[in-house]
Amino acid sequence: MPLPASRSVRVLAATLVLLPAVAPAAAPPRFPAGSVWHQNIANAPLHPESTQMLQTLAGLGGWGNNNRMQIDFSLHVHQSAPADAPRYEVVPHRGSGEYWTPDCEALPTTMPVPPDAAFEGQSGLSCNSSSSDCHLLVRQGSKLYELYSGNLSGGVLDARCLAVWDLNAVYPPEGRGEHCTSADAAGFPIAPLLVNADEVAQRQGEPDGDLGHAIRFILPNARMATDSALGGVGGRLYVRPASHAGGPSGPRGTVPYGVRMRLRPDFDMSGYNAAARVILRTMQRYGLVLADGGNIALTFESDRHTTAKWSGLGITPQVFWNGAGGAAAIQVTDFQIIDTGPRIGETWNCVRSVAMPAIEIFLNGFDPA
């Protein structure tokens, strides 16, 4: 959960022939090809302390939930809100009075909320934001609205943060701003880094298919690095592509907020089905990015608004750790950490940045990496 400034303490050939083509209900939100999230890191230089950081993380317990690379399917994404969708005013969180500025969109503001949208883990537009993250993710045209700690009541949305992303833009290395959070603690967009059932279904019929984008992941805060020498609040720190750190509290030698790591190229995928191999190849080529604090490592988009369903793809919450079919359970030491730059002490002094339209990126040759 975000923790910003002034904030309180987030036989193969035969198989391929038989796989049906799946037409997606709507394309999931994605950024232009030049975005850091679409950067292929398969051959990117490793961080010089990659092995040591991962060994330290393993010594701290590895993944959360008893070192299980579990999947959470509770985040819904409304992928195509109509132009006439109802818009609701966003107000500060009613329980705490918090709303994080300048990190989040200035108030007063509104966001579109289609009647069939739903909060994280819910079937509708009510959520207990005092005990749950209560994300609400809605795309309308080229805008992606991501609400954190929200609830719809009395005709308004109360929340701690609304981050609006321009899906036609390529953001600079500091994202929406240095030391700025979003609806995700690391300052990341959420929906574009989720795994979507329709995109997996489309790619599983390809002999070498992947999803073409990084995937967000989560670790317990006590397993993420701190370093008081960097001058951050409470020793908090992050690395690119993050722009913010939540509440890390682990030793210096472990992985930091924002770390980007790739599955080793020699990882044994035998025992995994075609859909799972699409996800594994994505981890090898585009990697995982550390987005938030918590116990369930992976967050995939729910299949509430998709044509393909996770059960039909054979993707269960435990697919990457239970060893079914002889598949190898994925450990943190099966990854490699790439070098994305120095550690940055978290001051919580957000300075918002300006995204560049994709056409300007093309004309000016800007490198988001």
Side-chain angles (χ1 to χ4, degrees):
M1 112 182 12
L3 186 62
S6 73
R7 304 62 150 161
S8 57
V9 188
R10 8 179 23 257
V11 178
L12 183 57
T15 301
L16 295 178
V17 170
L18 295 174
L19 291 172
V22 176
R30 298 289 180 258
F31 288 100
S35 297
V36 65
W37 317 114
H38 299 292
Q39 178 187 17
N40 189 317
I41 60 167
N43 297 311
L46 292 184
H47 192 285
E49 298 178 16
S50 172
T51 299
Q52 297 94 311
M53 282 190 281
L54 290 168
Q55 288 176 343
T56 300
L57 175 58
L60 293 170
W63 312 116
N65 193 25
N66 297 315
N67 195 26
R68 295 170 173 172
M69 195 187 214
Q70 185 174 336
I71 304 171
D72 174 12
F73 298 103
S74 65
L75 274 171
H76 313 298
V77 182
H78 196 291
Q79 298 169 0
S80 185
D84 62 352
R87 297 188 72 93
Y88 292 93
E89 182 182 4
V90 177
V91 301
H93 187 268
R94 283 178 169 160
S96 65
E98 292 179 325
Y99 185 81
W100 299 328
T101 58
D103 309 54
C104 308
E105 305 309 311
L107 301 180
T109 191
T110 64
M111 73 172 284
V113 183
D116 62 340
F119 277 97
E120 175 182 8
Q122 308 301 314
S123 59
L125 294 171
S126 178
C127 194
N128 183 359
S129 58
S130 64
S131 60
S132 301
D133 281 358
C134 295
H135 289 101
L136 181 63
L137 311 178
V138 176
R139 175 185 184 174
Q140 186 178 63
S142 64
K143 299 296 184 183
L144 174 63
Y145 298 80
E146 298 193 329
L147 193 81
Y148 168 69
S149 193
N151 180 52
L152 178 61
S153 178
V156 297
L157 286 163
D158 69 274
R160 287 181 167 92
C161 184
L162 170 65
V164 180
W165 297 87
D166 182 353
L167 296 172
N168 287 336
V170 174
Y171 284 79
E174 68 274 17
R176 293 173 65 256
E178 196 75 274
H179 303 295
C180 300
T181 194
S182 64
D184 218 350
F188 294 160
I190 296 176
L193 304 181
L194 300 178
V195 178
N196 169 280
D198 282 340
E199 63 177 353
V200 172
Q202 286 184 304
R203 301 295 187 273
Q204 69 174 341
E206 303 172 6
D208 197 37
D210 62 56
L211 303 178
H213 64 83
I215 300 169
R216 75 189 289 271
F217 82 105
I218 288 171
L219 286 174
N221 276 306
R223 299 177 195 178
M224 287 188 268
T226 58
D227 186 351
S228 58
L230 294 177
V233 177
R236 293 171 174 84
L237 60 91
Y238 59 89
V239 296
R240 297 285 183 244
S243 63
H244 185 270
S249 59
R252 182 203 175 280
T254 187
V255 298
Y257 249 99
V259 72
R260 190 165 187 174
M261 56 194 206
R262 66 189 178 212
L263 187 63
R264 298 178 63 91
D266 58 354
F267 180 79
D268 182 7
M269 294 188 193
S270 62
Y272 284 101
N273 70 12
R277 289 197 298 271
V278 168
I279 299 166
L280 294 174
R281 284 191 290 267
T282 303
M283 293 181 185
Q284 290 177 326
R285 297 167 186 170
Y286 298 91
L288 304 180
V289 287
L290 182 50
D292 210 339
N295 284 309
I296 301 181
L298 297 175
T299 313
F300 289 7
E301 181 185 337
S302 80
D303 53 20
R304 176 184 174 94
H305 296 299
T306 59
T307 301
K309 303 302 176 185
W310 290 117
S311 59
L313 294 170
I315 302 297
T316 66
Q318 64 269 21
V319 65
F320 293 129
W321 59 263
N322 72 352
I330 303 179
Q331 308 294 329
V332 295
T333 49
D334 290 320
F335 284 81
Q336 301 169 316
I337 295 174
I338 69 165
D339 191 349
T340 59
R343 295 182 172 194
I344 301 168
E346 177 53 272
T347 66
W348 284 344
N349 294 321
C350 169
V351 179
R352 291 288 296 272
S353 62
V354 177
M356 294 179 68
I359 186 63
E360 291 187 27
I361 301 298
F362 175 77
L363 294 174
N364 298 330
F366 173 75
D367 182 359

